[in-house]
Amino acid sequence: MTGRAGALLLSSLRRRRGVFVRLTGWSLLQGVPAFLSGWAVARAVDDGFLAGRAGTGFAWLGALAGAVVVGAWATHHATLALSSLVEPLRDELVTLVTSGTLRRSAEAGRPADTAGVARLTEHVEIAREAYGAVVVFVQGFVVTVAGVLLGLAALEPALLVFVLPPLAVGLALFAGALRALAARQRAVVLADESTAESVGTLTGGLRDVVACGAEDVVRERTGERIDAVARATRALARATALRTASLGVGGWLPLVLLLAGAPWLVQRGVTAGAVLGAVTYVSQGLQPALQGLVQGVGGSGLWLLVTVGRIAEVTPPGEGAVPGEGAVPGGVGPVPGGACAVGGGPVRAGRGPVRARRGSSVELDGVTFGYARSAEPVVDRLDLRLRPGEHLAVVGPSGAGKSTFAALVAGVLEPTAGRVRLDGVPVRSLAGDGLARHRVLIPQEAYVFDGTLRENLAYLEPGASTAALDTAVDGVGARPLVERLGGYDAPAAPQELSAGERQLIALVRAYLPAAGLVLLDEATCHLDPAAEAVAEEAFARRGGTLIVCAHRISSALRADRVLVLDGARARLGTHRELMAASALYRDLVGHWEVTASPTPGRSGSRRSGSAPRSSG
C-alpha cells in the first residue's frame, strides 16, 4: 500500500519540479529567523546589555524582528507556491477515483458505484489537505533544523553535543514508529469504510431485514463492524505514545541538557549570551519544528499514505496503480436478452429431495391502507381467502399497490382498517422470530451483507446443513453462482454481485426455513425468464402457500389464481376467468412479453376462497 502511494505521490511531484524548486527557495527564506534567532540573542546579550551598550542590544533585537518580517513575507509566497503543487494532485486523484470506479463497475456489468466514488472522493479531500500539511511541515523542519545547527556551530561548536545526539535519537524513534502507525491508521480507515459500506447496504435492505425478522442478526453484524472501528482507533491511540516519546527525547531533552550543563559550559569559556542563544535556538526553533514534523508526518502524513494508497488500489491499469483489495473479479456481467449471467453458464434446476412445507392460510377482512390520511387508499376494503398451499399471483400496473399488498400480508405494514391473519392469528401479533417462522418476504432489492456465502444463505436458518443448502441452491438454480464464488465458505461481498445474483441468494435464503408462506415481491425481476421459471417452480414444489407479485405473464400463468390490483379496486380469479371478465387484465397480458407458456394453474379446479370485494 505505501509503495503504491509513494509512487503516485513521487510521480506527481516529478511533473512539477519547477514549482517544488520555487517552494524550496521560499522555504529557505522562511528559515532566516530560525538561523538568526539564537545568534541575535547572543550578540544582544554579550555585545549589548552585558557590555553596557543597550543600544547595540536593541539593534540586534531589531535585526531579529526584521528577519521575522522577511520570514512572514516568504511564508506568504510559499503558500501560493504550495497551492500550485497541491491542487493539481487533487485533480489527478479525482480523475483516478472516477475513472477507476466507473471502469470497475463497467467490467462487472453493474451500475456505476456512485457510493464508492463518494467515499473515495472524501479520501481525495483528506489527501489534498494532508499533502499540503506534510510538504509544509517537512520543508519547515529541514530548513529550521539546518538553521539551528548552523547557528549553534557558529556560536560554539560544543553546544552541538547537547543538542545533536538527543535530536538524532528522537528522529530514530519517530522513524521506527511510523510503520506501526501507518498499519494502525490503515486499519482505522478500512474499518471505517467497512462500517460505512455495511450501513449503506443495510439502509437499502431494511425492508428485507424487518420482513425476515433478521434484526438481531443484522444488529450483531453491524455492531461487530462498529466494534472493529473502536478497536482500530484504540490501537492507533496506543501507538501514538511512541510519537510523543520521540518529541520528548528530540525536543525537550536538549533543552534540559543545556540548562543542566550551563555551569559547565560557562566554566569552559562559553559566554552567557551563547548559552541563552542556544536555549533560544532549541525552544523557539527546534522544538516547534520537531513538533510540527511529528504531528504533521505522524498525523497528516499517515492519512496521506493510507488515503492515496486506497485511491491507488482502484486506479485503472496503465495509469500507474496495481490492482489491490478493492479489485473486482471478472466473470459477472449482462448477457444478451437481459438474462442474468451467473458464473458464465446457464441456470439449471436441481432434482434433489424436496422438503414439503405445510402451507399457511391467509385471510384479509376489510383491509384498507393509505400512506396519508388525506390521500386515496392504496388498498380499500379488501377481502381475500387463500387456502394452505395455494399459489397466488398479484398483478397490476406500476403503483397499483402490489408491494403494499405484500407488505400488509407480511405484517410489515399495519392496515388502517381491517385485519390480516395467518393461520387464524393476526399477523401483527407475530413479532420478530415468530413472524419470520410463519412467513418470508423477499422484496425486489435483496439484502446481502459482507460475510461468507453460507452466512448469507442461512441467516434465517442458521443451523442449516450443507445437504439442506445443496437442496435449496439446486432447487432455485443458484449452483453456478455458488461455484463462481468458490463455495459456501467463500466471501460474498454485495458490491461484487449483480442484482440478479443478490436475488438468487435471497431466494435460497427464503427456501430454507419452514415458513408456511413465501411472498416474492418482484423478487425475480432481475433474472431472465428461464431462471425466473426455475425459481418459482422450485417454490411450488417446496410446498407451502406462495404469493408472487408478478412482472411477467409467465408468473401469472403458473399461479392457481390471480389478484388484479388497480388502485383501490381489485378482482380475483383464474387466468381464464380474468381474460374474460377483466379489461385491465387483458390489457396487461397484451403488453407483457410472453416468454413462456406453462399450463395455467397447478390445479384448474382449485378456485376456493371468496373473491375480493371491490369498492369501485
Side-chain angles (χ1 to χ4, degrees):
M1 181 272 295
T2 55
R4 286 191 289 265
L8 198 154
L9 292 172
L10 288 175
S11 175
S12 176
L13 197 59
R14 280 196 296 269
R15 287 193 291 272
R16 294 169 187 87
R17 291 190 186 91
V19 174
F20 184 72
V21 169
R22 287 197 302 274
L23 178 61
T24 302
W26 290 116
S27 296
L28 290 174
L29 278 179
Q30 282 181 278
V32 170
F35 173 73
L36 286 181
S37 60
W39 180 267
V41 167
R43 297 282 70 78
V45 170
D46 290 337
D47 300 337
F49 301 118
L50 289 181
R53 295 190 291 270
T56 302
F58 282 116
W60 276 108
L61 294 180
L64 179 58
V68 171
V69 172
V70 171
W73 176 68
T75 299
H76 169 71
H77 288 279
T79 302
L80 296 178
L82 182 65
S83 64
S84 300
L85 193 68
V86 172
E87 293 305 321
L89 174 68
R90 175 186 178 276
D91 295 340
E92 291 173 356
L93 294 180
V94 169
T95 300
L96 291 179
V97 165
T98 305
S99 60
T101 305
L102 294 180
R103 178 172 297 189
R104 289 169 54 199
S105 299
E107 289 175 350
R110 301 192 314 272
D113 182 11
T114 54
V117 171
R119 285 193 299 272
L120 290 170
T121 302
E122 182 180 356
H123 286 341
V124 169
E125 293 305 318
I126 294 173
R128 168 183 172 271
E129 296 179 6
Y131 184 56
V134 168
V135 170
V136 167
F137 286 131
V138 171
Q139 281 207 335
F141 174 78
V142 171
V143 171
T144 299
V145 169
V148 165
L149 296 180
L150 287 174
L152 288 171
L155 282 177
E156 176 60 52
L159 294 171
L160 292 173
V161 176
F162 294 84
V163 176
L164 194 55
L167 175 62
V169 173
L171 290 176
L173 282 175
F174 179 59
L178 275 180
R179 182 176 295 274
L181 286 168
R184 285 163 175 75
Q185 186 72 72
R186 176 177 169 80
V188 169
V189 170
L190 293 179
D192 188 59
E193 281 185 6
S194 177
T195 301
E197 187 172 342
S198 176
V199 172
T201 304
L202 172 62
T203 302
L206 280 177
R207 182 183 175 196
D208 192 7
V209 172
V210 175
C212 295
E215 295 97 326
D216 291 340
V217 176
V218 172
R219 186 182 302 112
E220 179 182 354
R221 292 188 174 278
T222 305
E224 289 174 355
R225 284 166 171 76
I226 294 173
D227 290 342
V229 174
R231 287 193 300 271
T233 304
R234 285 195 295 268
L236 177 61
R238 288 192 295 270
T240 56
L242 287 174
R243 191 177 70 181
T244 304
S246 67
L247 179 60
V249 172
W252 286 99
L253 185 56
L255 183 60
V256 172
L257 293 177
L258 282 172
L259 293 176
W264 181 86
L265 289 170
V266 172
Q267 290 175 2
R268 282 156 180 78
V270 178
T271 65
V275 173
L276 186 57
V279 170
T280 302
Y281 274 131
V282 173
S283 61
Q284 301 301 313
L286 182 61
Q287 275 187 353
L290 183 60
Q291 184 172 0
L293 177 75
V294 169
Q295 293 180 347
V297 176
S300 298
L302 294 179
W303 274 107
L304 179 65
L305 285 176
V306 172
T307 53
V308 174
R310 293 294 288 158
I311 292 168
E313 289 171 358
V314 300
T315 304
E319 295 189 35
V322 180
E325 296 170 16
V328 176
V332 185
V335 296
C340 171
V342 183
V347 178
R348 60 182 184 273
R351 291 295 183 264
V354 177
R355 294 171 56 193
R357 271 77 167 180
R358 176 187 175 276
S360 296
S361 63
V362 180
E363 303 171 37
L364 280 72
D365 294 318
V367 171
T368 299
F369 179 83
Y371 286 98
R373 292 183 178 180
S374 59
E376 289 292 325
V378 180
V379 176
D380 189 17
R381 292 175 290 166
L382 178 61
D383 293 333
L384 178 65
R385 301 288 187 274
L386 292 181
R387 294 174 57 183
E390 191 167 3
H391 180 175
L392 175 73
V394 183
V395 302
S398 178
K402 300 187 295 295
S403 293
T404 301
F405 170 81
L408 288 166
V409 174
V412 176
L413 294 177
E414 183 174 6
T416 52
R419 292 181 297 178
V420 180
R421 291 190 293 267
L422 298 182
D423 292 325
V425 180
V427 67
R428 295 289 292 182
S429 69
L430 301 170
D433 293 341
L435 183 57
R437 285 194 295 269
H438 278 78
R439 62 95 185 101
V440 174
L441 168 63
I442 301 298
Q444 178 177 348
E445 296 302 327
Y447 173 64
V448 176
F449 54 84
D450 280 313
T452 67
L453 181 58
R454 183 188 299 274
E455 290 169 336
N456 269 281
L457 296 177
Y459 88 69
L460 295 182
E461 193 81 1
S465 65
T466 300
L469 287 174
D470 287 337
T471 298
V473 165
D474 292 331
V476 302
R479 178 60 60 187
L481 171 61
V482 174
E483 293 174 349
R484 184 185 76 77
L485 293 180
Y488 296 131
D489 296 322
Q495 70 274 11
E496 296 181 6
L497 298 169
S498 67
E501 289 175 325
R502 291 195 296 271
Q503 284 191 332
L504 282 175
I505 290 175
L507 289 167
V508 174
R509 180 188 298 158
Y511 188 98
L512 281 168
L517 170 64
V518 173
L519 299 105
L520 305 180
D521 182 10
E522 298 199 13
T524 58
C525 63
H526 296 298
L527 304 181
D528 63 274
E532 177 186 63
V534 167
E536 289 186 10
E537 289 169 1
F539 279 96
R541 293 195 309 273
R542 168 189 180 274
T545 305
L546 178 63
I547 297 178
V548 178
C549 293
H551 64 286
R552 292 190 182 102
I553 183 61
S554 54
S555 295
L557 293 175
R558 281 189 287 269
D560 296 326
R561 290 189 293 168
V562 180
L563 175 64
V564 183
L565 295 178
D566 182 17
R569 295 172 294 180
R571 186 180 290 271
L572 179 69
T574 66
H575 170 73
R576 290 191 180 92
E577 290 172 343
L578 292 173
M579 286 296 291
S582 173
L584 173 59
Y585 186 71
R586 289 194 300 271
D587 185 59
L588 289 171
V589 171
H591 286 84
W592 264 329
E593 179 184 358
V594 180
T595 56
S597 299
T599 302
R602 290 181 294 166
S603 176
S605 62
R606 293 174 62 181
R607 301 177 187 176
S608 59
S610 60
R613 182 170 65 246
S614 171
S615 63

